[in-house]
Amino acid sequence: MLGSLLMVPAVLGAKRLVADRSPKLGFAGAVLMAGGYICYFGIALSGITDLVMAERGGPIADYAAVLDSSQSDASALWVFLLFVLGNLVGTLLLGLALLRSRRAPLWAAAAVLAWPPLHVTGLVVGSEWFEVAGAVLQGVGLAVTGSRLLSAAGPAPRS
């Protein structure tokens, strides 16, 4: 959950870095990614009900009915859809903005761009190794982007 919250300032920083060279692409990618990862925080919190019921024990049939009802509620579907859109399409757009802007090294932009295909590959193949590799690459790419943002900002003013 902490990682999903940290993605918001990371993508907003990346958007700021590419703002003058790829503004529309950077804006779209950052907004989608930030919204998607905020939604992921909500999705991760939705599992607390499952954990509490499992730890407490009790009427299994009643618990199953509660879980089935909560997962079939169409009013929460938009949260999952925005997460998927931000996680895959938003990352792709922000990575392309980084690539176009040339404000981060090409390999860092490619590392950010690696997440969507590696994530989907991991889901299709059924192995988390692809997803872990994609997440590490994305994290390294965004870290390098952050260091470029800090160096572009110049030294902090002295007091």
Side-chain angles (χ1 to χ4, degrees), residues 1-8 32-48 76-88 115 119 128 131 135 138:
M1 289 193 304
L2 179 61
S4 65
L5 287 179
L6 290 174
M7 285 298 287
V8 175
L32 284 173
M33 275 184 79
Y37 279 98
I38 289 169
C39 287
Y40 183 72
F41 186 78
I43 292 168
L45 281 177
S46 70
I48 289 176
L77 181 62
W78 69 270
V79 174
F80 291 97
L81 294 176
L82 182 55
F83 165 67
V84 171
L85 187 66
N87 188 25
L88 299 176
W115 167 249
H119 182 59
E128 288 188 10
E131 294 161 299
Q138 180 187 38

Side-chain angles (χ1 to χ4, degrees), residues 36-85:
Y37 279 98
I38 289 169
C39 287
Y40 183 72
F41 186 78
I43 292 168
L45 281 177
S46 70
I48 289 176
T49 304
D50 307 2
L51 293 174
V52 170
M53 285 192 271
E55 288 175 355
R56 185 172 189 278
I60 302 295
D62 290 343
Y63 288 172
V66 168
L67 292 175
D68 287 344
S69 176
S70 69
Q71 292 175 352
S72 64
D73 184 11
S75 68
L77 181 62
W78 69 270
V79 174
F80 291 97
L81 294 176
L82 182 55
F83 165 67
V84 171
L85 187 66

Side-chain angles (χ1 to χ4, degrees), residues 14-24 26 101-103:
K15 178 220 163 277
R16 185 171 165 210
L17 185 67
V18 302
D20 61 337
R21 296 193 181 169
S22 191
K24 292 178 184 174
S101 73
R102 303 220 184 258
R103 299 291 303 268

